[in-house]
Amino acid sequence: MDNKRIPATTSKTAGAHTTDSRLAAFYKLYNTLGPETAGTQKLRRCLEEVYHPDIIFSDPMHRILGIDALEKYFEGLYENITYIDFQFHKAWVEADSGSVHWTMRYRHPRLKAGKHDIVVDGVTLLRWEGNLVVQHQDIFDAGSLLYEHLPVIGWLIHKLKERMA
């Protein structure tokens, strides 16, 4: 099997560059979704274009089974933020598996007074069945996503990191 290294850089204002149509659909999904799509029919249509009905979606804080549960997860996620943007940096695809390196920037009204971006770097591991993602695993530092930005817990995490350095 040939490994295909696929360069990928994108944002909501730039197109992704890839030769793999499954990866292109994945990029398009994450550059389409946002607060304006939460709770709309567009959310469901976009998810169905990328994800298998029996999707297994996981990240450091969640394990979600099935596209109905994934739709509810995204509704809650996107209706609680004011801004989100993904930059895709590197990708690798071989047969039915792949990975994508990314940076997410988002704003939440109750974190950093809703005025500053929170930046999280991560990697997504993907497995396809046909052209649909059947397994999606996000790997990132949950502290940088949320915990470090909470008043008391954030201070404790920063102090702990200072002591460990």
Side-chain angles (χ1 to χ4, degrees):
M1 284 184 223
D2 287 337
N3 286 351
K4 292 191 280 181
R5 294 243 179 249
I6 300 169
T9 56
T10 188
S11 72
K12 288 187 189 281
T13 59
H17 304 290
T18 180
T19 58
D20 190 286
S21 62
R22 301 167 303 177
L23 206 51
F26 181 82
Y27 294 156
K28 180 182 173 191
L29 171 68
Y30 282 89
N31 286 311
T32 299
L33 297 181
E36 66 282 355
T37 59
T40 68
Q41 297 258 333
K42 183 177 183 177
L43 172 63
R44 181 61 179 225
R45 281 193 314 271
C46 289
L47 292 175
E48 287 176 341
E49 288 175 11
V50 173
Y51 289 110
H52 191 278
D54 298 323
I55 179 67
I56 300 168
F57 181 101
S58 62
D59 66 28
M61 299 179 287
H62 304 92
R63 181 170 171 82
I64 298 161
L65 304 175
I67 199 161
D68 293 337
L70 185 62
E71 180 181 17
K72 286 185 176 107
Y73 168 73
F74 278 119
E75 281 178 10
L77 177 71
Y78 285 107
E79 69 187 13
N80 289 314
I81 59 172
T82 57
Y83 167 80
I84 191 164
D85 181 62
F86 284 90
Q87 296 285 321
F88 298 105
H89 307 295
K90 298 188 265 186
W92 165 83
V93 173
E94 181 180 342
D96 67 348
S97 299
S99 65
V100 179
H101 294 251
W102 48 262
T103 300
M104 175 180 64
R105 294 178 185 279
Y106 78 99
R107 281 188 215 128
H108 190 285
R110 291 184 278 165
L111 302 175
K112 291 190 169 187
K115 297 178 183 176
H116 302 283
D117 289 356
I118 295 170
V119 180
V120 180
D121 292 314
V123 175
T124 299
L125 304 178
L126 299 166
R127 190 168 61 79
W128 288 276
E129 207 171 273
N131 287 327
L132 298 175
V133 175
V134 71
Q135 190 169 4
H136 173 138
Q137 180 182 5
D138 282 336
I139 301 166
F140 58 84
D141 177 5
S144 68
L145 175 76
L146 177 63
Y147 305 126
E148 290 177 15
H149 309 289
L150 299 173
V152 175
I153 296 172
W155 180 84
L156 290 170
I157 290 171
H158 286 293
K159 288 297 177 190
L160 183 60
K161 283 184 173 183
E162 284 175 8
R163 292 193 80 187
M164 293 176 70

